[in-house]
mmCIF file of all heavy atoms in Angstrom:
data_model
loop_
_atom_site.group_PDB
_atom_site.id
_atom_site.type_symbol
_atom_site.label_atom_id
_atom_site.label_comp_id
_atom_site.label_asym_id
_atom_site.label_seq_id
_atom_site.Cartn_x
_atom_site.Cartn_y
_atom_site.Cartn_z
ATOM 1 N N THR A 14 -2.907 4.069 2.066
ATOM 2 C CA THR A 14 -1.820 4.815 2.706
ATOM 3 C C THR A 14 -0.734 5.103 1.672
ATOM 4 O O THR A 14 -0.547 4.330 0.720
ATOM 5 C CB THR A 14 -1.219 4.053 3.904
ATOM 6 O OG1 THR A 14 -0.551 2.867 3.447
ATOM 7 C CG2 THR A 14 -2.302 3.682 4.920
ATOM 8 N N GLY A 15 -0.029 6.227 1.837
ATOM 9 C CA GLY A 15 0.946 6.609 0.817
ATOM 10 C C GLY A 15 0.272 6.829 -0.518
ATOM 11 O O GLY A 15 0.797 6.464 -1.568
ATOM 12 N N GLY A 16 -0.902 7.442 -0.483
ATOM 13 C CA GLY A 16 -1.688 7.619 -1.710
ATOM 14 C C GLY A 16 -1.354 8.878 -2.486
ATOM 15 O O GLY A 16 -1.978 9.166 -3.502
ATOM 16 N N SER A 17 -0.364 9.627 -2.010
ATOM 17 C CA SER A 17 -0.052 10.897 -2.668
ATOM 18 C C SER A 17 0.806 10.727 -3.913
ATOM 19 O O SER A 17 0.800 11.599 -4.777
ATOM 20 C CB SER A 17 0.662 11.825 -1.677
ATOM 21 O OG SER A 17 1.755 11.167 -1.067
ATOM 22 N N ARG A 18 1.550 9.635 -3.996
ATOM 23 C CA ARG A 18 2.503 9.473 -5.109
ATOM 24 C C ARG A 18 2.571 8.017 -5.537
ATOM 25 O O ARG A 18 2.097 7.128 -4.838
ATOM 26 C CB ARG A 18 3.906 9.907 -4.668
ATOM 27 C CG ARG A 18 4.056 11.376 -4.444
ATOM 28 C CD ARG A 18 5.505 11.762 -4.225
ATOM 29 N NE ARG A 18 6.001 11.380 -2.916
ATOM 30 C CZ ARG A 18 7.032 10.555 -2.712
ATOM 31 N NH1 ARG A 18 7.666 10.029 -3.730
ATOM 32 N NH2 ARG A 18 7.416 10.271 -1.491
ATOM 33 N N GLY A 19 3.218 7.787 -6.671
ATOM 34 C CA GLY A 19 3.636 6.468 -7.091
ATOM 35 C C GLY A 19 2.519 5.436 -7.133
ATOM 36 O O GLY A 19 1.407 5.701 -7.628
ATOM 37 N N ILE A 20 2.804 4.263 -6.593
ATOM 38 C CA ILE A 20 1.870 3.136 -6.655
ATOM 39 C C ILE A 20 0.569 3.464 -5.915
ATOM 40 O O ILE A 20 -0.527 3.121 -6.372
ATOM 41 C CB ILE A 20 2.548 1.881 -6.065
ATOM 42 C CG1 ILE A 20 3.679 1.410 -6.992
ATOM 43 C CG2 ILE A 20 1.532 0.766 -5.828
ATOM 44 C CD1 ILE A 20 4.617 0.379 -6.374
ATOM 45 N N GLY A 21 0.672 4.143 -4.783
ATOM 46 C CA GLY A 21 -0.531 4.478 -4.014
ATOM 47 C C GLY A 21 -1.451 5.413 -4.766
ATOM 48 O O GLY A 21 -2.679 5.229 -4.767
ATOM 49 N N GLY A 38 -4.268 8.609 2.289
ATOM 50 C CA GLY A 38 -3.347 8.944 3.373
ATOM 51 C C GLY A 38 -2.039 9.442 2.782
ATOM 52 O O GLY A 38 -1.599 8.953 1.740
ATOM 53 N N TYR A 39 -1.424 10.418 3.424
ATOM 54 C CA TYR A 39 -0.135 10.916 2.951
ATOM 55 C C TYR A 39 0.645 11.416 4.156
ATOM 56 O O TYR A 39 0.079 11.635 5.238
ATOM 57 C CB TYR A 39 -0.298 12.044 1.912
ATOM 58 C CG TYR A 39 -0.867 13.318 2.495
ATOM 59 C CD1 TYR A 39 -0.035 14.356 2.900
ATOM 60 C CD2 TYR A 39 -2.238 13.462 2.679
ATOM 61 C CE1 TYR A 39 -0.549 15.509 3.460
ATOM 62 C CE2 TYR A 39 -2.764 14.614 3.247
ATOM 63 C CZ TYR A 39 -1.912 15.632 3.633
ATOM 64 O OH TYR A 39 -2.427 16.758 4.209
ATOM 65 N N ARG A 40 1.938 11.618 3.972
ATOM 66 C CA ARG A 40 2.750 12.159 5.072
ATOM 67 C C ARG A 40 3.194 13.587 4.799
ATOM 68 O O ARG A 40 2.984 14.463 5.622
ATOM 69 C CB ARG A 40 3.964 11.276 5.342
ATOM 70 C CG ARG A 40 4.671 11.620 6.662
ATOM 71 C CD ARG A 40 5.806 10.684 6.952
ATOM 72 N NE ARG A 40 6.936 10.925 6.097
ATOM 73 C CZ ARG A 40 7.911 11.811 6.345
ATOM 74 N NH1 ARG A 40 7.886 12.515 7.452
ATOM 75 N NH2 ARG A 40 8.917 11.964 5.511
ATOM 76 N N THR A 41 3.771 13.836 3.613
ATOM 77 C CA THR A 41 4.269 15.188 3.302
ATOM 78 C C THR A 41 3.630 15.789 2.049
ATOM 79 O O THR A 41 3.620 17.002 1.909
ATOM 80 C CB THR A 41 5.806 15.178 3.092
ATOM 81 O OG1 THR A 41 6.107 14.283 2.007
ATOM 82 C CG2 THR A 41 6.533 14.722 4.345
ATOM 83 N N GLY A 42 3.133 14.980 1.167
ATOM 84 C CA GLY A 42 2.700 15.449 -0.148
ATOM 85 C C GLY A 42 1.266 15.961 -0.172
ATOM 86 O O GLY A 42 0.404 15.405 -0.869
ATOM 87 N N GLU A 43 1.032 17.073 0.519
ATOM 88 C CA GLU A 43 -0.342 17.602 0.610
ATOM 89 C C GLU A 43 -0.918 17.950 -0.767
ATOM 90 O O GLU A 43 -2.050 17.574 -1.090
ATOM 91 C CB GLU A 43 -0.350 18.838 1.516
ATOM 92 C CG GLU A 43 -1.746 19.341 1.816
ATOM 93 C CD GLU A 43 -1.740 20.497 2.826
ATOM 94 O OE1 GLU A 43 -0.654 20.878 3.311
ATOM 95 O OE2 GLU A 43 -2.830 21.014 3.096
ATOM 96 N N ALA A 65 -1.195 11.571 7.685
ATOM 97 C CA ALA A 65 -0.956 10.604 8.756
ATOM 98 C C ALA A 65 0.373 9.907 8.522
ATOM 99 O O ALA A 65 0.563 9.268 7.484
ATOM 100 C CB ALA A 65 -2.083 9.566 8.808
ATOM 101 N N ASP A 66 1.282 10.030 9.471
ATOM 102 C CA ASP A 66 2.501 9.232 9.451
ATOM 103 C C ASP A 66 2.119 7.855 9.983
ATOM 104 O O ASP A 66 1.715 7.729 11.153
ATOM 105 C CB ASP A 66 3.561 9.893 10.341
ATOM 106 C CG ASP A 66 4.879 9.129 10.347
ATOM 107 O OD1 ASP A 66 4.893 7.929 10.004
ATOM 108 O OD2 ASP A 66 5.898 9.734 10.720
ATOM 109 N N VAL A 67 2.233 6.837 9.142
ATOM 110 C CA VAL A 67 1.737 5.522 9.564
ATOM 111 C C VAL A 67 2.521 4.957 10.752
ATOM 112 O O VAL A 67 2.035 4.041 11.428
ATOM 113 C CB VAL A 67 1.725 4.497 8.400
ATOM 114 C CG1 VAL A 67 0.743 4.913 7.324
ATOM 115 C CG2 VAL A 67 3.125 4.274 7.837
ATOM 116 N N ALA A 68 3.713 5.494 10.996
ATOM 117 C CA ALA A 68 4.503 5.025 12.136
ATOM 118 C C ALA A 68 4.057 5.654 13.450
ATOM 119 O O ALA A 68 4.565 5.292 14.518
ATOM 120 C CB ALA A 68 5.985 5.323 11.899
ATOM 121 N N ASN A 93 0.119 0.666 1.668
ATOM 122 C CA ASN A 93 1.094 0.944 0.612
ATOM 123 C C ASN A 93 2.261 1.819 1.067
ATOM 124 O O ASN A 93 3.343 1.748 0.500
ATOM 125 C CB ASN A 93 0.359 1.615 -0.562
ATOM 126 C CG ASN A 93 1.304 2.228 -1.561
ATOM 127 O OD1 ASN A 93 1.899 1.530 -2.383
ATOM 128 N ND2 ASN A 93 1.475 3.545 -1.500
ATOM 129 N N ALA A 94 2.043 2.659 2.086
ATOM 130 C CA ALA A 94 3.104 3.581 2.512
ATOM 131 C C ALA A 94 4.367 2.786 2.833
ATOM 132 O O ALA A 94 4.313 1.774 3.538
ATOM 133 C CB ALA A 94 2.658 4.372 3.738
ATOM 134 N N GLY A 95 5.502 3.259 2.318
ATOM 135 C CA GLY A 95 6.738 2.538 2.587
ATOM 136 C C GLY A 95 7.940 3.381 2.224
ATOM 137 O O GLY A 95 7.846 4.330 1.449
ATOM 138 N N ILE A 96 9.069 3.023 2.828
ATOM 139 C CA ILE A 96 10.324 3.739 2.562
ATOM 140 C C ILE A 96 11.447 2.736 2.307
ATOM 141 O O ILE A 96 11.375 1.585 2.745
ATOM 142 C CB ILE A 96 10.731 4.645 3.751
ATOM 143 C CG1 ILE A 96 10.808 3.840 5.065
ATOM 144 C CG2 ILE A 96 9.758 5.818 3.894
ATOM 145 C CD1 ILE A 96 11.449 4.609 6.222
ATOM 146 N N VAL A 97 12.464 3.202 1.595
ATOM 147 C CA VAL A 97 13.734 2.468 1.508
ATOM 148 C C VAL A 97 14.812 3.394 2.074
ATOM 149 O O VAL A 97 14.529 4.541 2.428
ATOM 150 C CB VAL A 97 14.104 2.074 0.053
ATOM 151 C CG1 VAL A 97 13.137 1.087 -0.519
ATOM 152 C CG2 VAL A 97 14.236 3.305 -0.828
ATOM 153 N N ARG A 113 13.622 3.056 11.985
ATOM 154 C CA ARG A 113 12.644 3.826 11.188
ATOM 155 C C ARG A 113 12.053 2.951 10.075
ATOM 156 O O ARG A 113 10.856 2.999 9.807
ATOM 157 C CB ARG A 113 13.314 5.065 10.590
ATOM 158 C CG ARG A 113 12.371 5.944 9.769
ATOM 159 C CD ARG A 113 11.287 6.597 10.625
ATOM 160 N NE ARG A 113 10.342 7.366 9.811
ATOM 161 C CZ ARG A 113 9.152 7.782 10.234
ATOM 162 N NH1 ARG A 113 8.737 7.520 11.463
ATOM 163 N NH2 ARG A 113 8.353 8.452 9.442
ATOM 164 N N VAL A 117 8.003 2.309 9.920
ATOM 165 C CA VAL A 117 7.125 2.705 8.801
ATOM 166 C C VAL A 117 6.567 1.474 8.091
ATOM 167 O O VAL A 117 5.349 1.334 7.913
ATOM 168 C CB VAL A 117 7.878 3.617 7.800
ATOM 169 C CG1 VAL A 117 6.993 3.908 6.581
ATOM 170 C CG2 VAL A 117 8.326 4.907 8.469
ATOM 171 N N VAL A 142 1.192 -3.869 0.249
ATOM 172 C CA VAL A 142 2.147 -3.689 -0.845
ATOM 173 C C VAL A 142 3.535 -4.045 -0.319
ATOM 174 O O VAL A 142 4.185 -3.274 0.385
ATOM 175 C CB VAL A 142 2.092 -2.269 -1.431
ATOM 176 C CG1 VAL A 142 3.093 -2.149 -2.583
ATOM 177 C CG2 VAL A 142 0.677 -1.963 -1.926
ATOM 178 N N SER A 143 3.937 -5.253 -0.638
ATOM 179 C CA SER A 143 5.206 -5.813 -0.200
ATOM 180 C C SER A 143 6.261 -5.515 -1.258
ATOM 181 O O SER A 143 6.267 -4.438 -1.867
ATOM 182 C CB SER A 143 5.002 -7.315 0.038
ATOM 183 O OG SER A 143 6.213 -7.957 0.300
ATOM 184 N N SER A 144 7.141 -6.449 -1.530
ATOM 185 C CA SER A 144 8.183 -6.256 -2.544
ATOM 186 C C SER A 144 8.794 -7.609 -2.872
ATOM 187 O O SER A 144 8.903 -8.482 -2.001
ATOM 188 C CB SER A 144 9.280 -5.332 -2.006
ATOM 189 O OG SER A 144 10.368 -5.283 -2.909
ATOM 190 N N ARG A 145 9.255 -7.756 -4.114
ATOM 191 C CA ARG A 145 10.030 -8.954 -4.460
ATOM 192 C C ARG A 145 11.298 -9.032 -3.610
ATOM 193 O O ARG A 145 11.868 -10.100 -3.432
ATOM 194 C CB ARG A 145 10.386 -8.941 -5.951
ATOM 195 C CG ARG A 145 9.243 -9.386 -6.838
ATOM 196 C CD ARG A 145 8.908 -10.853 -6.669
ATOM 197 N NE ARG A 145 9.966 -11.737 -7.125
ATOM 198 C CZ ARG A 145 10.095 -13.007 -6.754
ATOM 199 N NH1 ARG A 145 9.254 -13.544 -5.886
ATOM 200 N NH2 ARG A 145 11.076 -13.737 -7.235
ATOM 201 N N TYR A 158 15.252 -3.180 4.444
ATOM 202 C CA TYR A 158 13.992 -3.006 3.695
ATOM 203 C C TYR A 158 13.404 -4.366 3.319
ATOM 204 O O TYR A 158 12.217 -4.625 3.528
ATOM 205 C CB TYR A 158 14.272 -2.167 2.450
ATOM 206 C CG TYR A 158 13.134 -2.101 1.453
ATOM 207 C CD1 TYR A 158 12.061 -1.234 1.646
ATOM 208 C CD2 TYR A 158 13.131 -2.893 0.304
ATOM 209 C CE1 TYR A 158 11.025 -1.165 0.722
ATOM 210 C CE2 TYR A 158 12.108 -2.828 -0.618
ATOM 211 C CZ TYR A 158 11.055 -1.961 -0.411
ATOM 212 O OH TYR A 158 10.026 -1.899 -1.327
ATOM 213 N N LYS A 162 9.758 -6.116 4.458
ATOM 214 C CA LYS A 162 8.704 -6.601 3.559
ATOM 215 C C LYS A 162 8.408 -8.086 3.813
ATOM 216 O O LYS A 162 7.277 -8.545 3.635
ATOM 217 C CB LYS A 162 9.103 -6.359 2.104
ATOM 218 C CG LYS A 162 9.183 -4.879 1.735
ATOM 219 C CD LYS A 162 7.838 -4.156 1.928
ATOM 220 C CE LYS A 162 7.851 -2.748 1.372
ATOM 221 N NZ LYS A 162 6.551 -2.066 1.489
ATOM 222 N N PRO A 188 5.659 -6.014 -5.827
ATOM 223 C CA PRO A 188 6.209 -5.417 -7.046
ATOM 224 C C PRO A 188 7.697 -5.698 -7.169
ATOM 225 O O PRO A 188 8.407 -5.850 -6.170
ATOM 226 C CB PRO A 188 5.975 -3.913 -6.845
ATOM 227 C CG PRO A 188 5.006 -3.795 -5.708
ATOM 228 C CD PRO A 188 5.218 -4.994 -4.860
ATOM 229 N N GLY A 189 8.148 -5.730 -8.430
ATOM 230 C CA GLY A 189 9.590 -5.734 -8.705
ATOM 231 C C GLY A 189 10.044 -4.302 -8.901
ATOM 232 O O GLY A 189 9.685 -3.413 -8.116
ATOM 233 N N LEU A 190 10.811 -4.054 -9.941
ATOM 234 C CA LEU A 190 11.299 -2.691 -10.221
ATOM 235 C C LEU A 190 10.189 -1.887 -10.892
ATOM 236 O O LEU A 190 9.807 -2.175 -12.026
ATOM 237 C CB LEU A 190 12.485 -2.763 -11.175
ATOM 238 C CG LEU A 190 13.867 -3.010 -10.614
ATOM 239 C CD1 LEU A 190 14.850 -3.126 -11.775
ATOM 240 C CD2 LEU A 190 14.292 -1.909 -9.667
ATOM 241 N N ILE A 191 9.715 -0.868 -10.207
ATOM 242 C CA ILE A 191 8.592 -0.066 -10.708
ATOM 243 C C ILE A 191 9.041 1.394 -10.800
ATOM 244 O O ILE A 191 9.722 1.911 -9.887
ATOM 245 C CB ILE A 191 7.374 -0.175 -9.763
ATOM 246 C CG1 ILE A 191 7.006 -1.644 -9.504
ATOM 247 C CG2 ILE A 191 6.184 0.598 -10.339
ATOM 248 C CD1 ILE A 191 6.638 -2.468 -10.718
ATOM 249 N N ASP A 192 8.634 2.044 -11.862
ATOM 250 C CA ASP A 192 9.065 3.422 -12.137
ATOM 251 C C ASP A 192 8.334 4.412 -11.231
ATOM 252 O O ASP A 192 7.267 4.910 -11.574
ATOM 253 C CB ASP A 192 8.800 3.745 -13.613
ATOM 254 C CG ASP A 192 9.365 5.103 -13.997
ATOM 255 O OD1 ASP A 192 9.993 5.757 -13.144
ATOM 256 O OD2 ASP A 192 9.169 5.500 -15.163
ATOM 257 N N THR A 193 8.921 4.688 -10.074
ATOM 258 C CA THR A 193 8.403 5.703 -9.151
ATOM 259 C C THR A 193 9.591 6.474 -8.572
ATOM 260 O O THR A 193 10.746 6.151 -8.844
ATOM 261 C CB THR A 193 7.614 5.096 -7.974
ATOM 262 O OG1 THR A 193 8.541 4.459 -7.094
ATOM 263 C CG2 THR A 193 6.556 4.108 -8.442
ATOM 264 N N GLU A 194 9.277 7.440 -7.710
ATOM 265 C CA GLU A 194 10.324 8.295 -7.136
ATOM 266 C C GLU A 194 11.062 7.639 -5.967
ATOM 267 O O GLU A 194 11.928 8.267 -5.352
ATOM 268 C CB GLU A 194 9.697 9.610 -6.653
ATOM 269 C CG GLU A 194 9.111 10.444 -7.765
ATOM 270 C CD GLU A 194 8.247 11.578 -7.240
ATOM 271 O OE1 GLU A 194 8.322 11.894 -6.041
ATOM 272 O OE2 GLU A 194 7.482 12.137 -8.040
ATOM 273 N N ILE A 195 10.727 6.399 -5.644
ATOM 274 C CA ILE A 195 11.351 5.765 -4.476
ATOM 275 C C ILE A 195 12.818 5.414 -4.744
ATOM 276 O O ILE A 195 13.599 5.231 -3.817
ATOM 277 C CB ILE A 195 10.548 4.502 -4.053
ATOM 278 C CG1 ILE A 195 10.781 4.196 -2.565
ATOM 279 C CG2 ILE A 195 10.886 3.305 -4.922
ATOM 280 C CD1 ILE A 195 9.835 3.141 -1.993
ATOM 281 N N HIS A 196 13.204 5.335 -6.019
ATOM 282 C CA HIS A 196 14.538 4.844 -6.362
ATOM 283 C C HIS A 196 15.593 5.945 -6.362
ATOM 284 O O HIS A 196 15.303 7.091 -6.700
ATOM 285 C CB HIS A 196 14.505 4.191 -7.747
ATOM 286 C CG HIS A 196 13.565 3.042 -7.828
ATOM 287 N ND1 HIS A 196 13.882 1.796 -7.363
ATOM 288 C CD2 HIS A 196 12.292 2.969 -8.268
ATOM 289 C CE1 HIS A 196 12.837 0.996 -7.530
ATOM 290 N NE2 HIS A 196 11.863 1.683 -8.076
HETATM 291 P P1 NAP B 301 7.033 6.545 -3.558
HETATM 292 O O1 NAP B 301 6.736 7.060 -4.920
HETATM 293 O O2 NAP B 301 8.264 6.974 -2.851
HETATM 294 O O3 NAP B 301 5.751 6.851 -2.628
HETATM 295 C C1 NAP B 301 5.789 6.519 -1.281
HETATM 296 C C2 NAP B 301 4.492 6.920 -0.648
HETATM 297 O O4 NAP B 301 4.523 6.519 0.729
HETATM 298 C C3 NAP B 301 4.265 8.415 -0.679
HETATM 299 O O5 NAP B 301 2.891 8.650 -0.910
HETATM 300 C C4 NAP B 301 4.649 8.851 0.737
HETATM 301 O O6 NAP B 301 3.922 9.964 1.207
HETATM 302 C C5 NAP B 301 4.236 7.632 1.537
HETATM 303 N N1 NAP B 301 4.940 7.538 2.803
HETATM 304 C C6 NAP B 301 6.267 7.382 3.042
HETATM 305 N N2 NAP B 301 6.507 7.336 4.365
HETATM 306 C C7 NAP B 301 5.313 7.458 4.978
HETATM 307 C C8 NAP B 301 4.899 7.482 6.330
HETATM 308 N N3 NAP B 301 5.778 7.367 7.332
HETATM 309 N N4 NAP B 301 3.580 7.636 6.591
HETATM 310 C C9 NAP B 301 2.689 7.758 5.594
HETATM 311 N N5 NAP B 301 3.009 7.742 4.284
HETATM 312 C C10 NAP B 301 4.312 7.603 3.998
HETATM 313 O O7 NAP B 301 7.099 4.965 -3.540
HETATM 314 P P2 NAP B 301 6.363 3.809 -4.379
HETATM 315 O O8 NAP B 301 7.383 3.220 -5.267
HETATM 316 O O9 NAP B 301 5.069 4.250 -4.914
HETATM 317 O O10 NAP B 301 6.154 2.759 -3.194
HETATM 318 C C11 NAP B 301 4.892 2.394 -2.666
HETATM 319 C C12 NAP B 301 5.060 1.043 -2.011
HETATM 320 O O11 NAP B 301 5.500 0.095 -2.986
HETATM 321 C C13 NAP B 301 6.115 1.030 -0.900
HETATM 322 O O12 NAP B 301 5.632 0.257 0.179
HETATM 323 C C14 NAP B 301 7.305 0.364 -1.561
HETATM 324 O O13 NAP B 301 8.112 -0.292 -0.614
HETATM 325 C C15 NAP B 301 6.606 -0.610 -2.479
HETATM 326 N N6 NAP B 301 7.440 -1.082 -3.577
HETATM 327 C C16 NAP B 301 7.868 -0.218 -4.547
HETATM 328 C C17 NAP B 301 8.670 -0.714 -5.557
HETATM 329 C C18 NAP B 301 9.201 0.165 -6.661
HETATM 330 O O14 NAP B 301 10.052 -0.304 -7.453
HETATM 331 N N7 NAP B 301 8.750 1.377 -6.816
HETATM 332 C C19 NAP B 301 9.035 -2.072 -5.591
HETATM 333 C C20 NAP B 301 8.571 -2.898 -4.589
HETATM 334 C C21 NAP B 301 7.760 -2.406 -3.595
HETATM 335 P P3 NAP B 301 4.383 11.503 1.053
HETATM 336 O O15 NAP B 301 4.985 11.642 -0.312
HETATM 337 O O16 NAP B 301 3.099 12.238 1.219
HETATM 338 O O17 NAP B 301 5.362 11.777 2.136
#
Side-chain angles (χ1 to χ4, degrees):
T14 67
S17 51
R18 290 189 286 120
I20 291 167
Y39 68 96
R40 192 176 73 87
T41 59
E43 188 175 358
D66 181 340
V67 295
N93 167 78
I96 55 169
V97 294
R113 181 66 184 164
V117 175
V142 181
S143 173
S144 172
R145 280 292 294 160
Y158 170 80
K162 294 300 189 177
L190 276 176
I191 307 300
D192 186 3
T193 72
E194 296 168 15
I195 205 169
H196 300 280

